Amino acid sequence: AATFKMHIEETHPTINDDSSPPDHTLIIEASISKATHTDTNNEDERETKKRRTKRRRRRMQRRKVPAAFHDTITTQLGDDDIRSTNFASNGAKIEPALRIYPGSHHMCITNEDLDKGRGNGTLCKCLEVKLRKDGRERRWKNWDGKKVWTVSVDDVEWVEFEHYPTIGSKARTFKLKPQEFSATIKFPLTESINTTVGNAQVKQVPVNSNTATTGHKLQGMSKDILIVNDWNYRCVNWIYVVLSRVRTLAGLYLMKPLDLERSFNVPQNLIRFEQRLKDTKERPILDMLGYQSNAEIDTMQ
């Protein structure tokens, strides 16, 4: 959100300016409704799964939430507050207001396209947005005191992305259509108390903003500049993975100091696991090739 705020600060007019916002940036607001189901206990058990699914969809009624409630969700909540309960994307974070522009970084949140080479966690960059009425449905809204073109996801036909980073000479592109998720929505009542609303239906393009990424997705990457916003002490080796991604110390920026009172020793269970791998996988191969370990050579001498 902070990166996007800097983006519109540099490129967009204020709400008191007579000029229109630039066309290169768009905010896609999620469509949010409450789902109600009719009784399906009398369904014929002999029906195929496909037919039962179609019948359930016909029986599902979507009731849009009040406008004030919707505006609170899209302007006050973030992707960490809306979680999918769908089977293929269970626990995935859903953007209430997806901020996009050419080159903006994103991450796919479902596993429904594994056969197409992408799944939950696939990194990509935005290329283009296709609206159902070619932009006539846009209206500008006030975002941080700036005019920004905004649409409902119901007016979006598809968004085109390219895989990132590019592998080979040409990037692979793909289009994603808006998708409907069953979800829970968490509302903060105070700094320490939250309430959660379930049985919500949230429609959105199935990606998250990835301007700030996760330690898991950083594995295998090398960066010239890395800003660490917070520390995850619960995940073993998370800190090593993050700190070893940056090429030089001059490119490392810490928003919070590292707690040096904690132990960063390699866990014994990981050491034992690696030893078992060597004994069961590597040692037989080395024996076949006639190699001896240093310990065996020392014993022979």
Side-chain angles (χ1 to χ4, degrees), residues 164-261:
Y164 177 84
T166 301
I167 300 176
S169 59
K170 185 177 181 180
R172 292 180 297 144
T173 64
F174 59 94
K175 295 177 181 177
L176 292 178
K177 294 183 177 181
Q179 184 174 333
E180 195 143 329
F181 300 87
S182 297
T184 58
I185 303 176
K186 180 179 67 178
F187 290 89
L189 300 179
T190 66
E191 290 186 359
S192 58
I193 301 176
N194 299 309
T195 184
T196 300
V197 176
N199 199 29
Q201 293 294 121
V202 180
K203 185 179 181 183
Q204 183 57 287
V205 180
V207 295
N208 287 137
S209 172
N210 195 49
T211 302
T213 191
T214 65
H216 176 73
K217 295 306 298 182
L218 277 174
Q219 293 184 88
M221 294 185 180
S222 295
K223 298 293 183 181
D224 292 322
I225 297 176
L226 184 67
I227 302 173
V228 182
N229 185 59
D230 205 350
W231 301 104
N232 181 0
Y233 297 107
R234 296 172 298 174
C235 185
V236 177
N237 293 331
W238 185 92
I239 292 172
Y240 164 77
V241 170
V242 171
L243 294 180
S244 60
R245 299 309 93 196
V246 64
R247 293 186 174 93
T248 65
L249 188 61
L252 179 63
Y253 298 85
L254 308 182
M255 303 302 292
K256 292 183 179 179
L258 182 63
D259 185 359
L260 298 179
E261 298 298 320

Side-chain angles (χ1 to χ4, degrees), residues 282-291:
E282 295 182 11
R283 189 67 253 167
I285 296 174
L286 293 175
D287 289 342
M288 290 175 57
L289 297 175
Y291 287 93

Side-chain angles (χ1 to χ4, degrees), residues 12 84 113 146 186 204 215 301:
H12 284 63
S84 169
D113 294 317
K146 296 288 187 173
K186 180 179 67 178
Q204 183 57 287
Q301 293 175 346

Side-chain angles (χ1 to χ4, degrees), residues 16 54 74 112 173 215 219:
N16 297 321
K54 288 183 177 180
T74 56
E112 296 185 356
T173 64
Q219 293 184 88

